[in-house]
Amino acid sequence: MPDPTHPTHHPSRQDFLITPRYLAGADGVQPVAGLLAHVGWLTSRDDAGTTHYYPSDQRYRVSYPHACEDLMTGETGAAWHISERGRSGQGPLWQAVITGDCPPEIIADAVEPLLTQRSIPLPTDSVTLITEKLIQANWDLDIAGGAMTYSNPTGHLRVRYFPPPTGARGSDLRTTLSWYIQAALTPANVLWYAGFSATTPAHVVKNFCNALLNPEPVARYAEDIHPVVRPHLTIRQA
């Protein structure tokens, strides 16, 4: 698979390093595909053009571009779909839907916990575990309508937690939205979003949230930096 970040594929372009990475936009699938290939995950492509990545035991599956339903709005669009396999006929144990405009470097960080394929026990207070670094980074917390919303200092990132309904069955929670993460310049200008079902392991959501705080720049090409986002970026030549 060609590496879309290698400058020889775009001889007329100038490579830039930009921050913050959560506003960098998409730049191919290589950060995710390369990570999974490095640990020996297999790939297949279906008739719809979706590429599926999975380990030899097929416990997990990472698919893109996959037609996914937004657990918040119900809208369907092309996105990354990440899941853990349940028993035959039961559907996935948990699932995450991340739209294609999310920077792939962030998605790679979210996928990384799956590579060890070991069970990690959930703490008693998984919300605190997931959001502790957000609080340390001076994110604001607002509690309203039964939801907890964490916002970064610029207001461009929101992490929202919806407590599972009281008495809900475990099978229902597999498709119940619990964590909804959104990058937006304004309420009307949403760049990307990610939704995690209530049964998603805490360490997967935590890694995704921690990836939002990563201060390291990512490589992009000038033509790929959207003019609307540019004023909010720090851009320097590679």
Side-chain angles (χ1 to χ4, degrees), residues 170-185:
S171 57
D172 293 335
L173 295 178
R174 297 178 183 180
T175 56
T176 298
L177 178 67
S178 185
W179 292 92
Y180 192 80
I181 300 165
Q182 182 185 86
L185 299 181

Side-chain angles (χ1 to χ4, degrees), residues 77-231:
W80 290 87
H81 186 262
I82 305 171
S83 63
E84 180 176 356
R85 184 181 63 178
R87 294 181 180 178
S88 178
Q90 290 187 344
L93 296 176
W94 59 267
Q95 59 182 317
V97 174
I98 308 169
T99 55
D101 287 330
C102 177
E105 294 86 355
I106 291 175
I107 298 170
D109 283 347
V111 169
E112 191 274 335
L114 309 182
L115 306 184
T116 59
Q117 298 199 36
R118 58 189 172 91
S119 177
I120 300 178
L122 297 178
T124 303
D125 187 357
S126 59
V127 174
T128 298
L129 171 77
I130 291 169
T131 61
E132 60 182 350
K133 289 194 175 181
L134 305 183
I135 296 299
Q136 292 170 7
N138 296 318
W139 285 40
D140 292 329
L141 171 60
D142 178 67
I143 301 176
M148 304 168 64
T149 302
Y150 300 81
S151 303
N152 76 336
T154 67
H156 294 153
L157 276 176
R158 286 193 176 131
V159 173
R160 182 168 293 179
Y161 171 67
F162 301 93
T166 303
R169 297 182 305 173
S171 57
D172 293 335
L173 295 178
R174 297 178 183 180
T175 56
T176 298
L177 178 67
S178 185
W179 292 92
Y180 192 80
I181 300 165
Q182 182 185 86
L185 299 181
T186 67
N189 190 356
V190 177
L191 303 175
W192 59 264
Y193 58 80
F196 297 83
S197 67
T199 49
T200 305
H203 63 283
V204 174
V205 185
K206 176 182 175 64
N207 266 44
F208 192 93
C209 289
N210 289 353
L212 303 177
L213 304 174
N214 190 335
E216 292 298 315
V218 293
R220 295 292 187 267
Y221 299 105
E223 298 93 321
D224 298 330
I225 302 174
H226 197 286
V228 174
V229 178
R230 185 180 292 270

Side-chain angles (χ1 to χ4, degrees), residues 14-39:
Q14 172 63 57
D15 200 3
F16 287 90
L17 296 176
I18 65 175
T19 54
R21 59 174 51 198
Y22 58 81
L23 295 180
D27 185 42
V29 302
Q30 181 59 25
V32 181
L35 172 67
L36 300 180
H38 181 70
V39 296

Side-chain angles (χ1 to χ4, degrees), residues 1-74:
M1 178 180 296
D3 182 351
T5 66
H6 197 287
T8 58
H9 293 103
H10 303 282
S12 64
R13 298 183 179 181
Q14 172 63 57
D15 200 3
F16 287 90
L17 296 176
I18 65 175
T19 54
R21 59 174 51 198
Y22 58 81
L23 295 180
D27 185 42
V29 302
Q30 181 59 25
V32 181
L35 172 67
L36 300 180
H38 181 70
V39 296
W41 279 36
L42 308 173
T43 62
S44 64
R45 189 178 178 90
D46 63 25
D47 293 340
T50 301
T51 300
H52 304 279
Y53 307 85
Y54 46 89
S56 57
D57 65 1
Q58 299 192 41
R59 176 179 177 184
Y60 299 109
R61 180 160 293 225
V62 177
S63 305
Y64 183 82
H66 192 64
C68 296
E69 181 179 292
D70 181 353
L71 296 178
M72 173 77 83
T73 67

